[in-house]
Amino acid sequence: MNSLDKNIQFVKGIGPKKATKLNKLNIFTIKDLLYYFPRSYEDRSNIKKIWQLEHDEKACTKGIISEVKSYEAKNKIKVTKFTLRDETGFLNVVFFNQDYLTKVFKKGDSVIVYGKIKREGGFLEMNSPQIEHFTNAQTSTGKLIPIYPLTYGVTNKDIINTIKNIYTNEKVSIQEYLPKDIINKYKLCSIDFAVKNLHMPQDKQSLKIALYRMIFEEFLILQIGLFYFKSGIDNSEGIKFEKKEKLNDIIKSLPFNLTNAQSRALNEVIDDMVSENMMNRLVQGDVGSGKTIVAVLVLALSVLNGYQGALMAPTEILARQHYESLTQTLAPFDINIDLLVGSLTKKQKEKVLEKIKNHETDILIGTHALIEDNVEFDNLGVVVTDEQHRFGVRQRAKLSTKGNNPDILVMTATPIPRTLALILYGDLDISIIDELPPGRQPIDTRAFESKKRDFIYSNFVRDEIEKGRQVYIVCPLVEESEAIEAKAAEDLRDELKEKYFSDLNVEVLHGKMKPSLKDKIMEDFKNNKIQILVSTTVIEVGVNVPNATLMIIENAERFGLAQLHQLRGRVGRGSHKSHCILIYSSKTNVCKERMEIMEETNDGFKISEKDLEIRGPGEFFGTRQHGIPELKVGNIFKHIKILKLAQEESKFILKQDRNLEKSEHILLKQEIVEKFSSINKEISLN
Ligand code: ADP
Ligand code: MG
């Protein structure tokens, strides 16, 4: 008999008391516990000698306690310090406010510890690691130890032992609910293997296989559920474009070869365009990955088919930059491009509007001005929104009403809540550009406390200028008002010019300036007539000046991580090594942690994920509120490729079997309904 439904209280080692505590974690049956997955794993398969430990790594080591110290630090914190010794060296293991540990661990005890290593002035230290007595059982089987999300009164060991007992004493076999075809197609392991190995991984490989299956399953259930219960699949008929040989001529005329990722994204877009369905696609790619050219080619294909195209950008600077680069690329192919932005004179505007209406304009580029009522196209075929996260959903939708079901492409460098919601609601397909053009070097980022400011300006900045490069300096974010921010930028420029750079051309750029002046400054900066550009966040998106290789961000603690990453993306655009310096003046741990993340990684997806981790998912987007079941192992940032596969598969399944009535889908449907009904009262099992 299968004991999946057995009350957890009757499992060996549990009893009524522990059961009550597990109930608090929503664990009532064996099955509930089996689906209570670890949050992470500690790799204890590799026990290092003390001398092998490196600064900043998370590692496992063992030794004998040679000294125990306990004392109160200045701030009343009780510090407990064990010195571990092995034949290669010493390691200090430090705990705060846990002096009961001195009762558990004594001088002479053999212990195993797992934690992050700090090496400071010749001393090795581990703060608040996992610590356990070392037994011989551990020598024969070093392993991956699961770490569970817990509540008070249930220890990690409790769960580990209970799971062990279940697998030794109970008969647990979960019926497979994914269709055979899917298991085969995606080479997934069985549900039994997955669950068992999530809790008790045989080795890293098995864990990876198990995780992959569970993540895929979670996304599949989520996605089918969303399509099934909410929106259904959008099958609106769209324009059926044709592929054109001339597009290849344009590609050949580019000064570079497309990266594989660009080609892949482009092909996905073209496939959408030639199908009779309306395209609704998101191109996601880190800053600098080269999204613009994909947009250019998409717009060109629309024009080669006799339709018009529109490209909307969030700022005038960016719109102008796109205008220039599109003109450069497409003018030789007899494609007419126009710009529509707020700063045009009334007369200029009227002229552009006229040209759009009678199709003298093939491609229109602009800001929000594009969605104003007086803009009328002759036949709009494709609509592209750049840096989509800066726009509201409505604005994007409004642009598409200017045509008759035009294809829609949105581009973004930052996965943000709104975009995520869109992904989750499944109304967008996703293409990912996960590769930077060749020759790019990662941007070297370092954070400094503000007392180093003087050194930074007189050394780093000076050196960079002397090498012939240019520098951006971003001044602190002032949320209250653009006017105060503008003033701050001007003050900073004056200060820097006076103190450090009286011999250089230092200019300022902010949102309050006249567009024509902004243009002139950007133009001068591009041509290296300005060496240092002091700016507000108006340069956050899209701006491209490859010779600028150093970015200084003042009061970096005031910016969000994603925003810092966007800003930093303004450098590292050419082949010269680029740097970003973050100046901060906050001593909080959160600030430190955030600065460290920026120093550690150049990967925008990782940064969003960390941002989410620090801010907490509740603040980021409340899934429950949207009626979306909780993801236990899947992470919409980290596993976006799997999410995408699952999304495609969901559509495929629903296309064949809209109501999930086929025999191979019955069990899957049951799982989906169960997951969704637990958080949506209106959904019932029938
Ligand atoms: P983003 O994805 O941030 O919008 P851009 O489209 O502005 O990036 O591209 C950044 C820079 O990379 C531009 O100067 C562009 O010309 C260049 N670029 C784009 N694709 C390639 C490529 N395949 N090879 C070399 N350079 C490229
Ligand atoms: Mg861009």
Side-chain angles (χ1 to χ4, degrees):
M1 201 198 73
N2 213 331
S3 20
L4 284 175
D5 291 329
K6 186 166 163 176
N7 189 327
I8 196 77
Q9 180 182 338
F10 304 118
V11 173
K12 193 180 156 203
I14 297 290
K17 231 169 137 188
K18 275 194 185 152
T20 322
K21 283 174 180 153
L22 288 173
N23 293 166
K24 287 214 176 91
L25 295 169
N26 255 330
I27 298 168
F28 297 91
T29 63
I30 287 186
K31 188 176 178 194
D32 292 340
L33 184 62
L34 291 181
Y35 273 83
Y36 190 72
F37 298 134
R39 142 173 79 72
S40 62
Y41 299 83
E42 287 177 0
D43 184 3
R44 299 192 192 166
S45 57
N46 181 10
I47 301 180
K48 292 195 165 176
K49 296 282 181 212
I50 289 177
W51 71 274
Q52 293 174 306
L53 299 174
E54 282 173 40
H55 179 66
D56 238 22
E57 75 170 335
K58 269 197 142 181
C60 184
T61 187
K62 68 184 170 82
I64 291 170
I65 298 179
S66 64
E67 202 184 330
V68 181
K69 261 196 214 158
S70 223
Y71 57 91
E72 200 172 283
K74 267 183 265 162
N75 36 12
K76 293 244 154 97
I77 292 175
K78 290 196 181 119
V79 182
T80 304
K81 194 188 232 173
F82 298 104
T83 304
L84 300 196
R85 166 178 66 74
D86 72 2
E87 63 276 24
T88 68
F90 291 92
L91 168 70
N92 287 326
V93 177
V94 183
F95 295 90
F96 305 100
N97 289 333
Q98 297 190 57
D99 47 350
Y100 70 92
L101 286 172
T102 55
K103 297 208 178 72
V104 186
F105 300 98
K106 307 271 188 207
K107 191 172 164 179
D109 285 2
S110 217
V111 293
I112 179 163
V113 288
Y114 179 92
K116 197 164 177 181
I117 299 292
K118 252 172 51 184
R119 186 186 281 277
E120 248 168 32
F123 287 101
L124 278 178
E125 196 176 283
M126 239 186 217
N127 281 337
S128 312
Q130 303 277 332
I131 181 165
E132 267 171 44
H133 280 108
F134 182 76
T135 62
N136 274 332
Q138 283 159 324
T139 35
S140 52
T141 51
K143 351 175 179 152
L144 293 162
I145 306 291
I147 306 294
Y148 293 89
L150 296 170
T151 68
Y152 179 74
V154 188
T155 68
N156 208 46
K157 255 205 181 133
D158 284 340
I159 306 250
I160 290 177
N161 289 336
T162 311
I163 297 267
K164 220 184 258 164
N165 286 336
I166 289 172
Y167 275 104
T168 349
N169 302 324
E170 308 284 346
K171 187 172 175 321
V172 281
S173 127
I174 307 170
Q175 190 177 8
E176 183 59 70
Y177 39 81
L178 290 187
K180 257 205 199 86
D181 283 356
I182 292 183
I183 299 253
N184 293 337
K185 187 167 167 192
Y186 297 96
K187 301 195 175 57
L188 305 177
C189 66
S190 71
I191 182 65
D192 268 328
F193 180 93
V195 170
K196 189 167 181 186
N197 276 278
L198 282 176
H199 293 292
M200 308 193 298
Q202 275 165 26
D203 48 42
K204 276 187 199 166
Q205 188 59 21
S206 313
L207 176 60
K208 209 170 146 191
I209 292 168
L211 269 172
Y212 189 83
R213 137 107 209 196
M214 276 330 288
I215 295 168
F216 186 91
E217 170 190 320
E218 266 189 358
F219 286 147
L220 187 76
I221 287 176
L222 173 77
Q223 203 68 75
I224 296 184
L226 289 170
F227 288 142
Y228 185 79
F229 294 116
K230 293 215 155 143
S231 45
I233 303 173
D234 187 6
N235 269 328
S236 309
E237 236 175 74
I239 302 162
K240 206 165 172 323
F241 292 93
E242 281 172 24
K243 293 189 182 176
K244 296 281 174 186
E245 193 46 39
K246 205 161 176 198
L247 193 69
N248 287 326
D249 297 339
I250 301 177
I251 294 175
K252 275 185 212 133
S253 78
L254 297 174
F256 47 71
N257 295 321
L258 295 181
T259 62
N260 289 331
Q262 283 171 322
S263 302
R264 190 171 6 100
L266 180 65
N267 286 331
E268 285 169 355
V269 175
I270 292 178
D271 283 347
D272 284 355
M273 287 177 73
V274 298
S275 93
E276 62 264 28
N277 292 341
M278 196 182 137
M279 170 166 78
N280 226 333
R281 184 170 286 274
L282 171 72
V283 173
Q284 226 175 53
D286 214 336
V287 242
S289 60
K291 292 181 289 293
T292 313
I293 191 64
V294 175
V296 173
L297 295 168
V298 168
L299 291 165
L301 184 58
S302 171
V303 175
L304 295 175
N305 274 273
Y307 287 89
Q308 290 168 297
L311 170 60
M312 183 162 70
T315 65
E316 193 159 330
I317 294 177
L318 189 52
R320 281 178 189 272
Q321 188 178 286
H322 281 326
Y323 174 72
E324 274 168 33
S325 93
L326 263 80
T327 308
Q328 206 173 38
T329 313
L330 298 180
F333 295 89
D334 210 18
I335 293 177
N336 293 317
I337 302 170
D338 273 299
L339 181 70
L340 186 68
V341 289
S343 67
L344 296 187
T345 62
K346 198 161 172 241
K347 220 166 156 195
Q348 288 170 318
K349 221 178 257 172
E350 271 163 13
K351 193 164 164 224
V352 174
L353 289 175
E354 192 58 36
K355 284 171 77 184
I356 301 165
K357 202 167 164 183
N358 58 33
H359 208 144
E360 276 173 69
T361 303
D362 295 313
I363 297 175
L364 181 66
I365 299 174
T367 53
H368 304 80
L370 254 59
I371 50 176
E372 275 166 26
D373 288 335
N374 53 8
V375 183
E376 269 178 69
F377 287 85
D378 171 38
N379 62 349
L380 184 58
V382 173
V383 165
V384 181
T385 313
D386 193 16
E387 304 295 352
Q388 123 83 16
H389 60 282
R390 289 294 208 87
F391 292 101
V393 185
R394 287 239 188 77
Q395 285 168 318
R396 170 164 69 85
K398 181 140 188 227
L399 183 55
S400 61
T401 61
K402 304 247 171 222
N404 192 4
N405 280 358
D407 278 353
I408 296 174
L409 185 69
V410 300
M411 306 196 293
T412 185
T414 347
I416 50 105
R418 193 183 290 114
T419 313
L420 282 175
L422 289 170
I423 295 168
L424 290 172
Y425 285 84
D427 84 329
L428 291 172
D429 297 311
I430 313 170
S431 291
I432 300 166
I433 305 186
D434 53 1
E435 184 185 354
L436 295 180
R440 292 285 170 74
Q441 302 175 47
I443 300 156
D444 189 40
T445 300
R446 292 172 67 187
F448 291 96
E449 276 187 63
S450 51
K451 60 182 179 208
K452 293 269 166 58
R453 202 168 168 260
D454 188 58
F455 179 78
I456 290 164
Y457 285 119
S458 29
N459 289 274
F460 287 133
V461 176
R462 183 50 76 173
D463 288 354
E464 207 60 19
I465 303 279
E466 263 156 33
K467 281 189 238 162
R469 304 283 91 77
Q470 291 159 274
V471 180
Y472 289 107
I473 296 170
V474 178
C475 65
L477 188 68
V478 184
E479 304 257 278
E480 298 83 48
S481 122
E482 220 181 12
I484 303 178
E485 196 170 74
K487 172 83 169 53
E490 275 164 8
D491 289 351
L492 181 64
R493 188 267 318 264
D494 294 346
E495 180 212 335
L496 295 176
K497 174 122 183 144
E498 200 169 298
K499 255 200 197 152
Y500 306 99
F501 309 115
S502 52
D503 57 325
L504 300 176
N505 211 350
V506 185
E507 273 308 335
V508 68
L509 189 74
H510 57 70
K512 280 274 164 196
M513 280 163 47
K514 264 203 188 143
S516 56
L517 185 55
K518 276 194 233 170
D519 281 345
K520 166 123 181 35
I521 285 174
M522 273 325 288
E523 197 57 36
D524 287 351
F525 190 60
K526 236 178 221 171
N527 299 327
N528 202 356
K529 284 186 196 156
I530 294 170
Q531 287 80 48
I532 298 179
L533 186 62
V534 178
S535 168
T536 61
T537 51
V538 291
I539 50 140
E540 177 182 328
V541 288
V543 172
N544 194 26
V545 180
N547 191 48
T549 52
L550 176 59
M551 165 159 289
I552 314 275
I553 302 177
E554 294 241 16
N555 286 94
E557 73 276 4
R558 294 197 200 163
F559 298 87
L561 289 187
Q563 200 175 17
L564 287 174
H565 182 63
Q566 278 279 337
L567 283 166
R568 173 171 71 178
R570 296 313 110 221
V571 297
R573 306 204 134 232
S575 53
H576 300 293
K577 177 81 191 163
S578 290
H579 304 266
C580 172
I581 292 179
L582 306 172
I583 303 179
Y584 64 94
S585 45
S586 157
K587 289 202 167 29
T588 64
N589 280 340
V590 171
C591 171
K592 261 209 186 120
E593 202 181 331
R594 289 159 42 105
M595 295 300 124
E596 272 168 23
I597 292 164
M598 295 307 294
E599 290 182 327
E600 272 164 24
T601 181
N602 266 290
D603 180 336
F605 287 100
K606 245 189 216 155
I607 288 171
S608 303
E609 184 196 321
K610 287 281 180 188
D611 215 5
L612 175 71
E613 224 174 86
I614 295 175
R615 288 206 263 170
E619 195 181 321
F620 215 75
F621 67 112
T623 47
R624 284 210 152 233
Q625 195 186 319
H626 292 111
I628 296 163
E630 170 200 21
L631 293 169
K632 292 179 179 171
V633 284
N635 177 319
I636 31 189
F637 298 110
K638 213 154 109 192
H639 308 128
I640 193 152
K641 283 187 192 167
I642 308 178
L643 173 61
K644 199 179 126 176
L645 285 179
Q647 192 173 46
E648 272 166 23
E649 189 58 44
S650 323
K651 286 187 188 167
F652 187 68
I653 290 175
L654 287 174
K655 226 178 220 168
Q656 300 166 328
D657 185 13
R658 181 62 187 90
N659 294 316
L660 300 175
E661 287 160 341
K662 290 190 181 169
S663 61
E664 66 264 34
H665 295 148
I666 298 286
L667 288 175
L668 177 62
K669 179 173 181 176
Q670 218 168 310
E671 278 302 306
I672 294 170
V673 172
E674 226 171 86
K675 277 245 167 81
F676 276 77
S677 60
S678 65
I679 51 162
N680 296 279
K681 288 198 187 71
E682 69 276 18
I683 294 169
S684 63
L685 237 181
N686 53 29

